[in-house]
Amino acid sequence: MAVPKSKISKQRRNLRRSSHWKLEAPDLVMCKCGEYALRHRACKACGMYRGRQVIEVGDDK
């Protein structure tokens, strides 16, 4: 059975484990209307996706 040659400190152990728990920020891109939108999804502000109007957006202000 394999036996470790030396003790791994708590700091080194935790540094190794820390990279698996990081959260990633969503990729945002600038729409042609000037709002930020998620990639590969229709813009919630104007309803455009890849240069086409795909959803109707009503201004209820």
Side-chain angles (χ1 to χ4, degrees), residues 45-61:
C46 62
M48 299 286 285
Y49 178 68
R50 297 185 71 179
R52 294 178 291 159
Q53 187 78 24
V54 293
I55 57 173
E56 295 295 324
V57 179
D59 293 329
D60 297 332
K61 292 183 180 177

Side-chain angles (χ1 to χ4, degrees), residues 8 10 20-21 45:
I8 302 294
K10 294 173 192 169
H20 300 289
W21 297 99

Side-chain angles (χ1 to χ4, degrees), residues 29 38-42 49:
V29 294
L38 292 172
R39 295 180 145 249
H40 306 290
R41 283 162 182 79
Y49 178 68

Side-chain angles (χ1 to χ4, degrees), residues 19 21-29 36-39 41:
S19 64
W21 297 99
K22 291 181 183 175
L23 294 176
E24 294 180 0
D27 289 335
L28 297 176
V29 294
Y36 285 104
L38 292 172
R39 295 180 145 249
R41 283 162 182 79

Side-chain angles (χ1 to χ4, degrees), residues 5-41:
K5 288 192 176 198
S6 60
K7 178 180 176 178
I8 302 294
S9 68
K10 294 173 192 169
Q11 182 179 3
R12 185 174 291 273
R13 176 198 65 198
N14 293 339
L15 280 173
R16 184 181 68 243
R17 292 178 181 174
S18 68
S19 64
H20 300 289
W21 297 99
K22 291 181 183 175
L23 294 176
E24 294 180 0
D27 289 335
L28 297 176
V29 294
M30 182 74 74
C31 180
K32 291 182 180 180
C33 68
E35 295 288 325
Y36 285 104
L38 292 172
R39 295 180 145 249
H40 306 290
R41 283 162 182 79

